């Protein structure tokens, strides 16, 4: 990690010496193939304290990055901050220095009445109201989670005994008006209500602010990604309880371990297919 205020670089892809990435201040070799993406910088140490070992490899703006090991696998966590713009900046840097799989770890509000605070939601895809991914590709392009990451998150929740729901997420660019909440002073427009009711009718199950960016960009970058959230509110029942964050942390970490094991098994299978004499 390097804290350097004054430096020169090419404007089209700013980097510090040694390919240190402009926003996250990490360089090649600092991160693992699998990176967990919380929004809150304070959540990164809450994630890494559960690992067998870790170190801080980057800290700049809203981005705090830790890398370590758990049960023999390499793992990283990098905070994205809130919303699509800062999430895209983090992903750009992480992909540039070698990230192969992203798991978004966050909190969310459900918009279907049967989902309770404390439950987990795994995104199979996302409605792209994020305001960022449209700068990368036409809005007709889908924001879809990688099937292996979804399967690993489901398996993780099953192993841990957590209540979970798999479905389509709505990613909004605003915490208030974008999610059918009044703005300051009660400000609102008629379409706030219409969008909310339409999303419910389309069986969208939750609101949050980053998944569509993560899922869209990962597909464009040929990187795997998924998202898991702890439900802290339900907009239908008007319940809010900021609790259970440790569940999404535990499930995302377990999913990373599962994905690493699956990758190991696939490599062994490929080795057998191509070099049968080398594997007994």
């Amino acid at each position: 990690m390097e804290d350097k205020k004054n430096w020169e670089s090419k404007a089209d892809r700013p980097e510090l010496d040694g390919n240190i990435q402009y926003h996250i201040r990490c360089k090649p070799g600092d991160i693992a193939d699998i990176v967990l993406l919380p929004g809150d910088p304070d959540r990164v140490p809450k994630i890494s304290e559960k690992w067998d070992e870790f170190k801080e490899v980057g800290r700049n703006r809203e981005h705090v990055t830790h890398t370590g090991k758990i049960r023999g696998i390499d793992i990283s966590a990098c905070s994205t901050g809130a919303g699509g713009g800062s999430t895209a900046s983090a992903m750009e840097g992480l992909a540039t220095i070698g990230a192969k799989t992203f798991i978004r770890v966050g909190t969310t509000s459900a918009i279907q009445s049967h989902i309770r605070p404390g439950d987990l939601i795994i995104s199979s895809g996302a409605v792209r109201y994020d305001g960022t991914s449209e700068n990368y590709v036409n809005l007709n392009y889908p924001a879809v989670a990688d099937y292996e990451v979804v399967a690993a998150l489901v398996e993780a929740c099953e192993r841990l005994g957590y209540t979970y729901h798999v479905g389509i997420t709505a990613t909004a660019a605003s915490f208030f008006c974008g999610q059918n909440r009044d703005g300051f002073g009660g400000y609102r427009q008629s379409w706030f209500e219409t969008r909310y009711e339409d999303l419910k009718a389309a069986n969208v199950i939750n609101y949050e602010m980053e998944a569509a960016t993560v899922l869209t960009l990962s597909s464009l970058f040929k990187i795997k990604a998924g998202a898991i959230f702890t439900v802290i509110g339900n907009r239908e029942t008007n319940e809010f309880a900021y609790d259970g964050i440790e569940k999404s942390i535990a499930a995302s970490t377990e999913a990373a371990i599962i994905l690493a094991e699956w990758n190991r098994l696939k490599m062994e299978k490929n080795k057998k297919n191509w070099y049968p004499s080398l594997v007994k």
Side-chain angles (χ1 to χ4, degrees):
M1 182 174 59
E2 183 175 342
D3 183 16
K4 188 176 180 181
K5 300 297 184 183
N6 300 313
W7 48 278
E8 295 182 358
S9 173
K10 293 181 178 179
D12 59 350
R13 198 82 187 183
E15 292 181 345
L16 289 165
D17 293 342
N19 300 118
I20 295 174
Q21 297 301 298
Y22 176 68
H23 288 97
I24 59 175
R25 293 301 201 266
C26 295
K27 63 184 183 302
D30 280 343
I31 62 159
D33 287 353
I34 298 177
V35 184
L36 308 186
L37 298 176
D40 185 354
D42 289 340
R43 201 168 295 152
V44 172
K46 288 182 171 61
I47 293 171
S48 61
E49 70 182 8
K50 306 296 185 183
W51 303 344
D52 300 325
E53 60 181 80
F54 72 91
K55 64 178 179 179
E56 184 174 292
V57 296
R59 178 181 289 269
N60 185 54
R61 300 183 181 181
E62 62 268 55
H63 307 300
V64 174
T65 307
H66 289 186
T67 291
K69 287 183 177 290
I70 182 169
R71 286 184 244 167
I73 75 156
D74 296 324
I75 188 169
S76 294
C78 175
S79 55
T80 64
S86 59
T87 297
S89 295
M91 289 182 67
E92 288 273 7
L94 292 164
T96 298
I97 58 175
K100 300 293 189 295
T101 301
F102 293 120
I103 302 179
R104 170 87 181 102
V105 187
T107 55
T108 191
S109 288
I111 63 173
Q112 300 290 343
S113 59
H114 67 283
I115 302 174
R116 305 304 305 273
D119 290 357
L120 297 181
I121 285 177
I122 299 168
S123 299
S124 56
V127 181
R128 292 173 53 200
Y129 292 138
D130 59 307
T132 297
S133 62
E134 65 193 71
N135 292 284
Y136 283 80
V137 68
N138 188 283
L139 280 170
N140 290 327
Y141 188 88
V144 181
D146 179 83
Y147 72 96
E148 285 190 349
V149 180
V150 172
L153 288 166
V154 169
E155 175 64 19
C157 289
E158 290 287 346
R159 290 184 183 183
L160 296 168
Y162 293 156
T163 299
Y164 65 93
H165 311 266
V166 181
I168 298 172
T169 291
T171 299
S174 162
F175 182 80
F176 289 98
C177 295
Q179 298 182 40
N180 191 44
R181 293 182 174 98
D182 287 354
F184 173 72
Y187 172 81
R188 67 182 298 109
Q189 295 208 345
S190 60
W191 60 265
F192 294 178
E193 194 70 33
T194 302
R195 174 185 288 183
Y196 179 79
E197 293 300 329
D198 286 348
L199 289 171
K200 279 197 308 175
N203 201 31
V204 173
I205 62 176
N206 66 305
Y207 266 134
E208 58 80 60
M209 295 181 65
E210 293 83 23
T213 304
V214 173
L215 301 183
T216 303
L217 268 60
S218 64
S219 293
L220 298 176
F221 297 167
K222 300 180 181 179
I223 291 172
K224 297 179 180 181
I228 187 166
F229 305 94
T230 296
V231 177
I232 59 172
N234 186 297
R235 301 296 300 283
E236 280 294 281
T237 61
N238 204 23
E239 297 173 274
F240 186 90
Y242 196 87
D243 193 20
I245 310 305
E246 69 282 353
K247 293 180 183 177
S248 56
I249 291 174
S252 60
T253 302
E254 186 70 21
I257 294 167
I258 291 167
L259 286 166
E261 176 63 13
W262 288 352
N263 287 337
R264 184 188 66 80
L265 293 172
K266 282 190 286 188
M267 288 177 65
E268 289 185 357
K269 182 179 179 181
N270 290 337
K271 190 183 292 185
K272 287 180 181 179
N273 289 340
W274 287 99
Y275 306 104
S277 63
L278 298 181
V279 182
K280 296 181 180 180

